[in-house]
Amino acid sequence: EIHSLRNGCERGRTILESCDSSSKVKLRSGVTLHMYSSSAPCGNATLKKFATITKEKLNATFGADEWPLTDHDIIPPHSIHLGQFSLLLKKDQNVTDVKWQKNYNKKSPANETDDWCPPGTTTTLSNQGSIHTCSDKICRWNYLGLQGSLLASIIETPLYLSSLTVGRKFTSIICRRAVCCRAVKREKKRKNSNALICTANASPIISESFDKRYSLNHPSIMGTGVYMDDTGILEMSGKTEVGQDVRFNSPLCWAWWPDLGEKAECIDGNSGLALQLSGDETESRRIVSRLSTVALLDMMHSKVTGEESLLPLTLKSIKLLKLQISPEHEAAKSRFFTENETFREW
């Protein structure tokens, strides 16, 4: 989008537009960002505990381009020691020698075992994983924005979701807790204080930041019974295995953006590499995906600095690059992680 805009793309053909007061770009007026997940995001959004769950009600009054803008109550922090707001990692099945880290905070049952975690996940203290679950990532985006650190240097304001729509295994109160409300900074209770309300799409509840552009975003959370893909559904008649009626066994996923034309990029989820398909699929070559971290970093480095390729990259060089190009974003990130008790374990 940035490439198209800065190369003279016809006005209205991109979701971005140039700012009048600076060299940065911004989301075009009237454009909003929405996310669809075929199933509840893995991690905290599938932890069906610590809340009174009621049957979801269909609201058929919304049009094709409408979504609810009503506020929702903050989820009360009554079981944090049991894992209510916990960050969760995707469990690495190859780890056999489990060594739990010592927790120096108050004794917490949730930090002593991962038996309470949703299948396939574990805690940040178990040393059985390093990749955060989707719930954690979405929650982080709802404070720092979708654009990431490098794009933040050329985008006027953070890009926030207006809505999140979930297909299978959706529970509204659980999903709200997972993707936004657990990031609310908890203040000491005051007598006769009114209940806090999470305002959809605009809620600077975390605390004042050095950069006022960053605040906790609460998107509208919706469920749908209309699925984009029915191929993963299993027949569960007569079986008692709860919550396992959908399994996506294929590791392949498809990504498309306008520059690809009529083709899409096929990515192997097991390796993160893209498949360069040929006539004979057995001869397909694995190449670096154009959506991989290394490819996007390389592209952004050249766009932002005008310099040649940054490769090879190291974690240290990436961190230094972000601090150099987007100091405000990195400061907001640091403040978010240090001020919010839940996210200090990231």
Side-chain angles (χ1 to χ4, degrees), residues 265-277:
E265 186 174 88
C266 181
I267 303 173
D268 183 348
N270 290 332
S271 65
L273 295 172
L275 301 181
Q276 192 174 54
L277 302 176

Side-chain angles (χ1 to χ4, degrees), residues 6-45:
R6 292 188 167 173
N7 281 275
C9 181
E10 182 181 343
R11 183 177 177 85
R13 295 293 298 273
T14 72
I15 65 172
L16 300 173
E17 61 184 7
S18 300
C19 295
D20 296 329
S21 58
S22 69
S23 60
K24 295 186 176 183
V25 299
K26 61 182 179 180
L27 205 60
R28 186 158 51 89
S29 177
V31 174
T32 51
L33 303 176
H34 304 265
M35 179 177 180
Y36 170 81
S37 177
S38 58
S39 188
C42 64
N44 200 284

Side-chain angles (χ1 to χ4, degrees), residues 273-302:
L273 295 172
L275 301 181
Q276 192 174 54
L277 302 176
S278 61
D280 182 358
E281 197 165 318
T282 59
E283 298 179 359
S284 301
R285 294 194 306 116
R286 283 170 168 75
I287 58 176
V288 176
S289 168
R290 281 172 283 183
L291 292 181
S292 66
T293 299
V294 65
L296 292 175
L297 275 170
D298 191 41
M299 179 182 69
M300 280 306 306
H301 179 262
S302 61

